[in-house]
Amino acid sequence: MATGKIVSRLHLLIDRCVRRYTEIEEVSSPTKEIEKDLLLSLSQVLREIQSWINEIASDSSEEAGEKTIDHEDETTAALYDPESEEYLCLERLVADLGSQWDDFIRLLCECLRLAVVYSCPIPDSEIGFGILRNILKRLSQEENEELLDVYLESVNSTLAKIPWCRVDTLFSHQHGNGERNSQGQNGTLGGTPTSEEATVFLGNFVQFLCSVVQQVRFAEDNDGFEPTHLILQKTIELIPDLLCWCQPKLESQSGSCMSRYLGHKLLVLMIRLTYQSNIKCTILLSWLEYLQRHFQGFLQHTLTRFEPDQDNCLEGSPFFVSLSDREVNETHSNHLQRLTVLLFLRCSFTLLYSNRHTNKHCEFDCRKKGMEEMFKWIGGQVPGDTFSDHGTYTKKSVDFSTSFVRLFMHEDDLLFKVLLQLLSIPLHEKELLNVEGHSLQDEEQTILFRLSTLFNPVILFCIFLSELHYDHQVLLDYLISKDIGASCAEYLLRCLRTVCDSWTVFVEFPFEGSTNASSSKRRKVLTENSEVEQNGKLHPQAFEDAKDCLISLQNSVVKLHQKKLFPYNPEALLRRLSRFQELCLSHE
């Protein structure tokens, strides 16, 4: 079948099977009979399209070489020719959808609801959620808030209409026997899902929610009825059920690809919600309790054992399979450990440092419980005598800070998320460093002191540069990256200000007993007799290396900016780098 004919066939298919439903006045509140007819019609459309795909694949395999290329060229030319039949059909399709965008989105969401109600969980859930995800991705590129609001309203309405108690009953029954009840249940068309169907459905659903939460723009001053606020609140409400449904899959299928994927997506969803919404502190506490119960192994894993190059770069995904089984499992474990630690810190630090608590009656108790969780975590990571040396950073504290940075070095997006998060910790430089073990009797102050010791942003910045081998080209790559450029720029801006305000700490680093190796996150290949890797402490040249790295970065950014090749306005960053350079000159 000629590919170019698909557009006209698609237009005729939609006309024949679907268009009549857009003309029914009751479509916004359809009868049960209309619902069933619509579902059957859409199933027919899906089967037709799938048969076309198979037909095209079959035709393509029979054609070869130059003939296939010529045919594809002709098809492409036809689609882009405004006078061609294919182009006109495509234009009519787009015009129909554009003129009835609200109805189109609501119809898609309604179809998803019907599919869940009548055959939950649906074997083809990937298709339904995939269509909605692709539309959302396109909307985010268009940056049309009006269309996005319609989309979010429809999704939120759909989630509100789904009988989640029935879904809960189905999953509870599935957990009990793991077999499908072919006779159906509660008078519906579907039955109890098999274990595999249930896991696939949950994976697709959680992935869809991750995509929605990632795209919304949360504003703390909204009135509570904006589409973004409503969809976030609904997602937060679903988290306890999702954790309950998914946890048996994580336990029964432990180590499987689907189990790792499901665990990954659950953690990602909760992390994104902490950035996008104003979550009550009681909910944050419940998430901390969940981590302690089900991801305790990742939290308790000693970070000081994490060596450079312990895992491979994930190339943008935690689920690649180019390694041995053992290496794959270790890589996935390291990835899940990063997510677990990041979510733990997001929840804990919000309780400790943020003013975003919404329930004033429980704020003190929640803060205290957050302190307790942090105290247990730090106690399991570093010995108590790490903090007994007054006024200096011991080898143990720097070892921990270095291992912590190394844990995240292999995933750039998580790296800058956690580094930005740690910037929220107050420095407490001289005051707390001099009174540890004396006037700090209060456990809360002890925790705050230990956090400021382990996660001092100036020390972390020094370690970060060292792990890059002071290669300014890596920093430049970060800055111009489409995915992490904004995060890197924010981190450098805030860190440079902190460095300039705490100049003595920056200049005097390293402290006694720093580490003897660095990660491979670099462009240049260092010689084997590198002074950094030979000595038991960072070499005395550390300040000079850091200075050269940042000034080289400044020069590179200036050159690109002058040629109008830098992807955004870097003037704020250049001002900070100029201030840094001034302090370096005065230090000489």
Side-chain angles (χ1 to χ4, degrees), residues 127-373:
I127 297 174
F129 288 122
I131 292 172
L132 289 172
R133 280 202 318 274
N134 289 336
I135 292 174
L136 179 60
K137 185 184 298 184
R138 178 64 62 181
L139 285 177
S140 65
Q141 295 171 352
E142 296 293 334
E143 297 184 353
N144 189 317
E145 292 187 8
E146 183 177 350
L147 295 181
L148 182 60
D149 284 350
V150 170
Y151 178 96
L152 294 175
E153 287 174 358
S154 299
V155 171
N156 184 68
S157 176
T158 299
L159 294 178
K161 291 178 182 177
I162 291 177
W164 295 109
C165 57
R166 167 174 142 66
V167 178
D168 183 64
T169 301
L170 283 169
F171 278 115
S172 299
H173 188 266
Q174 191 275 326
H175 294 158
N177 58 27
E179 299 294 336
R180 173 179 289 280
N181 174 10
S182 60
Q183 299 301 317
Q185 184 173 319
N186 298 335
T188 62
L189 300 179
T192 305
T194 65
S195 179
E196 182 179 355
E197 288 174 343
T199 305
V200 170
F201 172 81
L202 287 171
N204 288 322
F205 184 46
V206 174
Q207 182 186 27
F208 172 68
L209 292 178
C210 282
S211 300
V212 171
V213 172
Q214 183 182 28
Q215 297 300 334
V216 300
R217 295 176 178 84
F218 174 73
E220 293 191 11
D221 58 351
N222 67 38
D223 58 9
F225 297 98
E226 295 293 327
T228 54
H229 180 84
L230 293 173
I231 194 69
L232 289 172
Q233 288 303 115
K234 186 60 185 178
T235 304
I236 292 172
E237 292 173 8
L238 285 173
I239 290 295
D241 286 333
L242 286 172
L243 297 179
C244 180
W245 300 335
C246 293
Q247 194 55 42
K249 310 299 177 187
L250 298 178
E251 295 173 355
S252 64
Q253 303 174 25
S254 177
S256 68
C257 291
M258 183 54 72
S259 172
R260 289 193 294 260
Y261 178 78
L262 200 53
H264 156 78
K265 281 299 181 183
L266 283 171
L267 293 172
V268 168
L269 178 58
M270 289 189 282
I271 289 171
R272 288 179 180 174
L273 285 169
T274 64
Y275 284 98
Q276 296 285 62
S277 56
N278 197 347
I279 302 179
K280 293 183 179 180
C281 48
T282 50
I283 294 177
L284 295 175
L285 274 177
S286 70
W287 292 2
L288 285 175
E289 292 170 1
Y290 173 79
L291 290 177
Q292 291 289 2
R293 284 199 309 270
H294 301 294
F295 288 84
Q296 189 178 40
F298 293 124
L299 285 178
Q300 291 181 341
H301 184 73
T302 305
L303 295 182
T304 50
R305 297 176 184 173
F306 200 90
E307 298 296 332
D309 301 326
Q310 184 167 319
D311 66 353
N312 293 274
C313 179
L314 297 180
E315 299 296 339
S317 171
F319 306 110
F320 71 107
V321 290
S322 59
L323 307 175
S324 68
D325 290 342
R326 181 186 62 80
E327 290 172 326
V328 167
N329 288 331
E330 289 180 357
T331 299
H332 293 327
S333 296
N334 292 334
H335 171 73
L336 291 177
Q337 183 184 10
R338 294 178 190 111
L339 291 176
T340 303
V341 171
L342 177 57
L343 179 58
F344 175 81
L345 294 178
R346 286 290 301 166
C347 294
S348 300
F349 282 14
T350 300
L351 295 173
L352 295 180
Y353 297 114
S354 175
N355 295 322
R356 286 165 42 189
H357 299 297
T358 57
N359 190 336
K360 295 182 179 179
H361 297 292
C362 70
E363 179 175 345
F364 177 77
D365 287 338
C366 286
R367 179 179 172 83
K368 183 178 180 181
K369 292 176 183 176
M371 284 283 182
E372 292 172 356
E373 294 293 337

